[in-house]
Amino acid sequence: MTIRSDRDHGQRCRPRMSCLKKVEATVVQMQDPSTGVKGTNQKLNITTIPHAITGQDIVAWITKNMNMDNDEAQAFSTMLVAFGYIYPLQDHKKLVLRPDGSLYRFQVNKWKAEDTDYAIYLAKRNIRKKGVLDAYEQEEYNKLHKWMNHKWDFIVMQAKEQYHAGKARQKADRVVFDCQERAYWIVHRPPPQTHSAMDYGLDRHIDPNVEEKKTYDYYKRIVIYMCFMGFCSKSLFLACSLVKYMMTFKNHDPFLVPCLPRNPWQTDHDSYWELNTPDVEVPTKMRVERWSFSFYELLSDPRGRADFKVFLKKEFSGENLAFWEAAEELKWGTAASMSEKAEHIFKTFLAPGAPRWINIDGRTMGLTVKGLEHPHRYVFDAAQTHIFMLMKKDTFYRYLKSPVYKEIQKKAISPAPQFFCICIEAQLQQNMRNRRPSVSPIITWQKEQEEKAKAAAAAGPIDIKKLMASKLDRK
Amino acid sequence: MCDQTFLAITFGPCDNCSQNKPLMNIYLKNEPINYCSLCVELMACQGLAKGETIHTLKAESETLKTKLEEERAKLHDVELHQVAEKIEALGQFVMKTRRTLKGHGNKVLCVDWCRDKRRIVSSSQDGKVIVWDAYTTNKEHAVTMPCTWVMACAYAPSGCAVACGGLDNKCSVYPLSLDKNENLAAKKKSVAMHTNYLSSCSFTNSDMQILTSSGDGTCALWDVESGQLLQSFHGHSADVLSLNLAPSETGNTFVSGGCDKKANVWDMRSGQNVQSFETHESDINSVKYYPSGDAFATGSDDATCRLYDLRADREVAIYSKESIIFGASSVDFSLSGRLLFAGYNDYTINVWDVLKGTRVAILFGHENRVSTVRVSPDGTAFCSGSWDNTLRIWA
């Protein structure tokens, strides 16, 4: 029985490590005697190691031949070491590339990363000198001994043979061989608590290198699903619309133009967030500008929506937005309360003589009424889209020209950019201590819900009976 | 910000099973039929009908594919970077790690921001899900899941709950509480049930619905309160690794990417796959909508990121370099959509200029694969989670 470990062996063939093929091609190039990295005989302790290369040479070669700059080349060469293509001669456990005179060698792929081989390797080291194994290696050895008990004679025999073969070699060759073998197993059986590059995560179910079995249902699926053709537009028009979006929002992107007064992450002051809370009295000029970009931007900002509602109240046309909000709530709400919500919406907004009647065309009304026979969450979709388009094409533009919007534009504040030098360590520490925790979103949410309930109660039609009953009660 | 096409959703009795469900409008042999999504799926799995052989089906699918390509080619007159030539180039970027969040004992697999722009939830391989206030680096809540490899986590829009799932094939919702000592696992709600690992989950516009994708090749929309399956989405032929909801006013579509190299766009109401893109050469690890909702980007194991335009119905840009060999695990856009942040398996994060297709910055710092990259809701910073057990906030 072989041990099932969660590290795969021989991962070069794994489909998702197919990037390794490109890496291997690069390594082959690096080993080219004329154009590759220059290796020399270097002294390590008392032996001379042939074909040793220095870290800085590796980085220089990669920078030149792979068209990268220094940092990238270093990162790439660290990957080479992490995957075991190059191994360090000094400090063999740390699989990083040091861009200095540290020595490295190319790995020779002689072994298969299987448990049997690992057991032979550990046994061999044990024979050579007892007690030389690290704690984790000893543990692995004991485990393997238990699981491979039936094969153990074979393993010990192999270990002894390899040990004798090793003794017969020249001292220099032996040192090199031992280094190589040790490096190989550091990569394929990493010590615990280290980050191994060989870890590729969970197995996925499909091997992308294998051709998908093209049975009848593969084709049938294509035939069925391709029978629609989305409408296309000319590329130029679409490319321009993408560009237009980017240009419109350029000044609002904190990565492109620093946000005012300052970016809270860079400067440890959360004044930016304080000025832009969802329910702030006076919004910033940038925020108000953003509302004018599109109706969707106006609605998605709670402060913008509130301002829009003020405008609608003045125009006495608040029912459109109220209907849209109610339909959204239905769409995204729980399934349990869905049919009663649908009923309520119909009674409040669509039924003839409803208290907040909205004006939709006959066809849409017909579709909606038909849909209400079997209420589902999308039953008001047609009506909702109609109302949304109406608000977007008409009401929104009137809002932008209205005194309400002009007033908020005037009132809006423009915080001055604040730059200060965070060069002193003490200042940094001070800033860290000053980081204020914020109100938990749970509390904010609860407050919002309370306010919504109050607003709903105030906006609903007054029930005369209840009012009279409460008056009578008081008497 | 163009008008979205509005597909009227028909709801009524399915031609096949006669149940009242949202119907998909499809054509079979040029005849329009109205089937519910379940029946369409069944139809695709039935055996060969009379007069059909594998060869006829193959021929038919080939002709349809060529026809679609022709239609697309007719309208393709200019590349994105050509239009972008007139736009000025971006300056040098100085992005540094502003916070390092240490606390996970194993690989960080997924991250999501809260709408308050400073809190995040992260999940890791050892089953721990932690809610941090990233600004102060304090841990606010911690949950231990009963399974390992929690690959999906999401923060609810209200900020009052988190959802997570992974190898347990389920998506569970944990309501957060103000009491630090309360055991969050006690109030856990099991919402989604798949037949394989959960790869990604996302709340829709409210706390009451969750969209999930799974290794079993399907995506599904669930009602949180009852755990009921509202809609399922079939069409991928391999594991679905990632999904993203469209940021549009109609909010009815989402895109998913999977191991079958396809990125599919779905209509949430009917379960219909409205568009499909297959130009990647390997698994698609991550999909993300462009902020306007008209396009989306994907990151894949073939070391490229690509931009697909939904109205052009084709790929419009590839972000790749000779020197980038390792796969991209996660992508996200900056607020304006000009920058694309992509985390790679070679421990780096590359920042791309979306318009010009060039790389503007490369960020080092992580000591193992970058598994997830997410930009904060107000665009002031982005968070990267890595297999080196840490999270970094960059700004």
Side-chain angles (χ1 to χ4, degrees):
Chain A
M1 183 155 84
T2 45
I3 299 175
R4 260 204 78 226
S5 93
D6 57 343
R7 293 189 203 284
D8 188 74
H9 320 304
Q11 282 189 20
R12 266 147 259 249
C13 324
R14 287 309 295 190
R16 261 150 217 97
M17 302 291 254
S18 57
C19 52
L20 293 180
K21 288 201 200 106
K22 288 192 209 153
V23 176
E24 279 168 9
T26 313
V27 173
V28 165
Q29 272 186 324
M30 282 171 79
Q31 288 179 305
D32 186 288
S34 46
T35 56
V37 189
K38 292 281 174 281
T40 49
N41 294 348
Q42 297 273 2
K43 246 188 153 57
L44 181 69
N45 298 335
I46 41 172
T47 31
T48 311
I49 311 276
H51 304 301
I53 43 184
T54 58
Q56 56 207 27
D57 284 341
I58 296 175
V59 174
W61 189 93
I62 293 177
T63 314
K64 198 176 91 183
N65 292 58
M66 289 193 69
N67 211 354
M68 293 187 200
D69 54 331
N70 214 312
D71 290 323
E72 236 192 302
Q74 210 179 316
F76 183 71
S77 34
T78 302
M79 292 307 283
L80 290 179
V81 177
F83 278 102
Y85 291 102
I86 301 178
Y87 64 92
L89 290 171
Q90 300 131 321
D91 199 4
H92 60 277
K93 284 211 184 132
K94 211 152 184 257
L95 297 176
V96 252
L97 189 119
R98 273 184 266 264
D100 49 23
S102 317
L103 298 171
Y104 297 86
R105 286 190 90 238
F106 289 105
Q107 181 60 281
V108 169
N109 189 18
K110 271 202 198 124
W111 302 274
K112 268 202 251 146
E114 282 181 16
D115 291 326
T116 322
D117 297 292
Y118 191 45
I120 295 172
Y121 163 70
L122 289 176
K124 191 166 55 169
R125 282 182 61 192
N126 231 359
I127 293 173
R128 184 176 311 151
K129 195 165 144 195
K130 283 238 181 279
V132 75
L133 295 176
D134 288 327
Y136 77 94
E137 286 175 326
Q138 189 64 49
E139 233 184 273
E140 288 290 315
Y141 183 71
N142 296 340
K143 259 197 256 171
L144 288 166
H145 184 84
K146 193 164 141 205
W147 288 114
M148 296 189 149
N149 218 337
H150 57 286
K151 276 209 239 178
W152 204 250
D153 293 333
F154 167 71
I155 288 173
V156 171
M157 187 181 70
Q158 284 287 311
K160 283 204 180 120
E161 269 189 42
Q162 288 190 15
Y163 175 62
H164 289 307
K167 270 185 124 173
R169 285 194 208 104
Q170 293 250 330
K171 176 104 195 289
D173 285 341
R174 199 170 29 186
V175 169
V176 166
F177 186 83
D178 285 344
C179 272
Q180 273 180 339
E181 205 183 12
R182 186 183 60 182
Y184 181 82
W185 288 112
I186 292 280
V187 171
H188 287 269
R189 289 287 194 282
Q193 310 294 329
T194 49
H195 304 300
S196 162
M198 301 308 263
D199 222 334
Y200 65 92
L202 277 188
D203 252 327
R204 292 173 194 172
H205 289 254
I206 304 291
D207 181 346
N209 290 355
V210 163
E211 272 298 300
E212 190 176 348
K213 231 178 19 166
K214 300 215 166 56
T215 55
Y216 64 84
D217 60 318
Y218 171 78
Y219 292 115
K220 195 131 193 184
R221 216 176 279 259
I222 297 182
V223 168
I224 292 173
Y225 288 115
M226 284 188 93
C227 290
F228 52 85
M229 216 90 77
F231 85 112
C232 309
S233 309
K234 282 241 162 212
S235 294
L236 178 64
F237 165 68
L238 296 167
C240 287
S241 75
L242 281 177
V243 173
K244 182 165 162 235
Y245 186 90
M246 276 181 220
M247 291 299 118
T248 314
F249 280 87
K250 185 169 116 163
N251 292 336
H252 296 258
D253 188 340
F255 279 103
L256 299 178
V257 171
C259 61
L260 308 168
R262 47 187 125 169
N263 188 318
W265 300 101
Q266 288 172 355
T267 59
D268 276 335
H269 275 259
D270 57 1
S271 44
Y272 179 70
W273 289 328
E274 291 286 301
L275 292 171
N276 286 301
T277 56
D279 53 358
V280 74
E281 248 312 306
V282 182
T284 60
K285 275 213 165 27
M286 294 290 275
R287 199 171 174 181
V288 175
E289 188 196 6
R290 206 166 151 179
W291 299 344
S292 66
F293 291 161
S294 84
F295 189 43
Y296 176 62
E297 287 291 326
L298 176 67
L299 284 188
S300 7
D301 187 350
R303 185 66 186 80
R305 203 190 279 209
D307 207 53
F308 188 58
K309 280 191 188 154
V310 168
F311 168 70
L312 289 176
K313 213 161 146 192
K314 294 214 164 119
E315 297 241 316
F316 300 103
S317 54
E319 65 274 359
N320 282 345
L321 187 62
F323 169 70
W324 185 83
E325 283 184 337
E328 281 286 288
E329 229 191 272
L330 175 72
K331 243 192 342 189
W332 306 118
T334 52
S337 59
M338 196 191 63
S339 23
E340 66 172 76
K341 264 199 219 158
E343 274 293 316
H344 179 81
I345 295 176
F346 181 72
K347 271 200 247 166
T348 318
F349 296 99
L350 293 170
R356 307 187 76 179
W357 192 77
I358 56 165
N359 193 2
I360 52 174
D361 64 292
R363 185 175 158 270
T364 317
M365 180 63 97
L367 270 172
T368 314
V369 169
K370 186 152 171 269
L372 278 166
E373 287 167 26
H374 307 279
H376 58 103
R377 59 188 57 245
Y378 303 112
V379 69
F380 293 114
D381 227 17
Q384 193 185 1
T385 312
H386 177 96
I387 291 291
F388 187 83
M389 287 301 166
L390 176 70
M391 286 197 289
K392 180 170 158 171
K393 299 206 162 132
D394 177 50
T395 329
F396 177 56
Y397 290 105
R398 283 192 289 118
Y399 165 72
L400 289 179
K401 297 197 203 111
S402 72
V404 175
Y405 185 65
K406 297 234 179 332
E407 201 195 312
I408 197 89
Q409 268 181 316
K410 258 203 319 211
K411 257 171 60 181
I413 52 177
S414 197
Q418 294 191 13
F419 306 107
F420 61 99
C421 180
I422 329 171
C423 8
I424 320 161
E425 183 61 36
Q427 182 71 34
L428 269 170
Q429 292 293 330
Q430 176 80 356
N431 286 344
M432 258 177 71
R433 276 193 290 270
N434 286 346
R435 287 181 199 159
R436 288 183 291 194
S438 68
V439 178
S440 169
I442 304 174
I443 298 179
T444 323
W445 174 252
Q446 284 170 345
K447 260 206 292 196
E448 265 176 42
Q449 295 302 97
E450 283 168 22
E451 292 194 2
K452 252 210 300 197
K454 269 194 240 159
I462 306 168
D463 193 342
I464 299 289
K465 286 204 192 120
K466 273 212 187 115
L467 194 61
M468 293 310 295
S470 68
K471 282 206 172 138
L472 285 168
D473 276 342
R474 251 184 268 143
K475 275 199 179 152
Chain B
M1 278 69 70
C2 294
D3 293 339
Q4 308 274 331
T5 22
F6 169 60
L7 284 164
I9 175 137
T10 40
F11 185 93
C14 166
D15 286 347
N16 193 33
C17 60
S18 316
Q19 286 177 26
N20 282 315
K21 280 184 172 178
L23 301 176
M24 288 172 66
N25 311 315
I26 57 174
Y27 290 81
L28 209 56
K29 296 196 204 324
N30 293 326
E31 287 291 322
I33 59 170
N34 293 320
Y35 273 20
C36 68
S37 55
L38 199 58
C39 294
V40 172
E41 191 54 30
L42 284 171
M43 189 167 60
C45 299
Q46 280 162 11
L48 297 165
K50 212 174 85 166
E52 278 179 353
T53 61
I54 289 203
H55 301 288
T56 56
L57 278 176
K58 184 170 176 183
E60 204 179 336
S61 69
E62 299 290 312
T63 42
L64 277 170
K65 276 195 186 158
T66 29
K67 221 168 68 169
L68 188 60
E69 282 310 311
E70 274 170 24
E71 290 288 315
R72 284 177 178 176
K74 272 190 225 162
L75 296 163
H76 174 41
D77 51 356
V78 71
E79 294 286 344
L80 183 62
H81 61 86
Q82 288 174 293
V83 173
E85 263 161 32
K86 305 203 189 93
I87 312 289
E88 62 180 63
L90 295 168
Q92 275 286 53
F93 282 95
V94 177
M95 280 179 235
K96 289 200 274 208
T97 303
R98 305 291 172 174
R99 304 280 191 279
T100 308
L101 303 175
K102 297 194 189 156
H104 277 292
N106 216 318
K107 309 178 174 76
V108 176
L109 300 174
C110 184
V111 152
D112 193 19
W113 287 87
C114 176
R115 282 196 187 175
D116 76 344
K117 307 157 203 165
R118 46 189 284 171
R119 284 178 172 75
I120 55 176
V121 62
S122 61
S123 65
S124 75
Q125 185 198 339
D126 59 1
K128 284 244 168 31
V129 175
I130 302 181
V131 176
W132 315 73
D133 178 350
Y135 185 66
T136 56
T137 70
N138 292 337
K139 299 190 204 28
E140 299 206 331
H141 305 93
V143 181
T144 307
M145 294 273 289
C147 67
T148 57
W149 287 92
V150 186
M151 288 173 275
C153 65
Y155 220 121
S158 67
C160 300
V162 293
C164 44
L167 275 188
D168 56 350
N169 302 356
K170 293 195 270 205
C171 183
S172 318
V173 174
Y174 292 85
L176 299 173
S177 99
L178 291 165
D179 177 7
K180 300 277 171 185
N181 296 329
E182 187 174 339
N183 181 14
L184 293 175
K187 292 217 192 109
K188 157 176 140 170
K189 221 183 293 184
S190 249
V191 176
M193 286 275 232
H194 278 280
T195 51
N196 221 306
Y197 66 86
L198 196 88
S199 54
S200 177
C201 69
S202 170
F203 281 91
T204 60
N205 285 359
S206 79
D207 283 14
M208 331 263 196
Q209 289 178 12
I210 288 196
L211 195 57
T212 59
S213 69
S214 162
D216 63 11
T218 65
C219 304
L221 181 66
W222 308 83
D223 178 67
V224 172
E225 202 73 28
S226 59
Q228 190 191 0
L229 172 68
L230 297 173
Q231 183 65 262
S232 68
F233 306 91
H234 298 262
H236 278 288
S237 45
D239 313 31
V240 183
L241 294 178
S242 169
L243 60 81
N244 188 230
L245 278 153
S248 75
E249 49 227 16
T250 42
N252 287 328
T253 57
F254 73 95
V255 63
S256 68
C259 290
D260 54 357
K261 311 174 201 172
K262 282 201 246 169
N264 289 339
V265 180
W266 309 85
D267 181 335
M268 271 183 8
R269 300 166 297 178
S270 61
Q272 188 161 8
N273 176 5
V274 291
Q275 279 174 292
S276 183
F277 303 89
E278 191 174 353
T279 60
H280 268 292
E281 293 158 18
S282 185
D283 304 356
I284 296 180
N285 290 319
S286 170
V287 289
K288 204 86 213 303
Y289 266 98
Y290 184 76
S292 72
D294 295 326
F296 67 91
T298 55
S300 156
D301 271 343
D302 63 4
T304 65
C305 298
R306 293 172 201 234
L307 185 71
Y308 296 90
D309 190 313
L310 293 170
R311 287 161 310 161
D313 203 21
R314 48 182 289 274
E315 170 193 300
V316 293
I318 305 185
Y319 306 103
S320 68
K321 249 182 161 235
E322 275 282 322
S323 55
I324 298 178
I325 296 182
F326 293 89
S329 59
S330 181
V331 295
D332 203 353
F333 283 101
S334 71
L335 192 139
S336 64
R338 183 69 194 270
L339 299 174
L340 180 70
F341 301 102
Y344 287 79
N345 291 344
D346 65 355
Y347 315 177
T348 63
I349 299 171
N350 288 304
V351 184
W352 299 92
D353 179 341
V354 172
L355 279 186
K356 298 202 187 252
T358 56
R359 182 177 65 188
V360 293
I362 176 168
L363 303 172
F364 304 96
H366 278 296
E367 292 162 15
N368 206 325
R369 281 196 203 189
V370 179
S371 53
T372 173
V373 167
R374 292 281 207 149
V375 174
S376 79
D378 61 354
T380 46
F382 73 91
C383 177
S384 62
S386 157
W387 284 12
D388 67 1
N389 309 359
T390 65
L391 294 125
R392 281 171 186 247
I393 311 280
W394 306 79

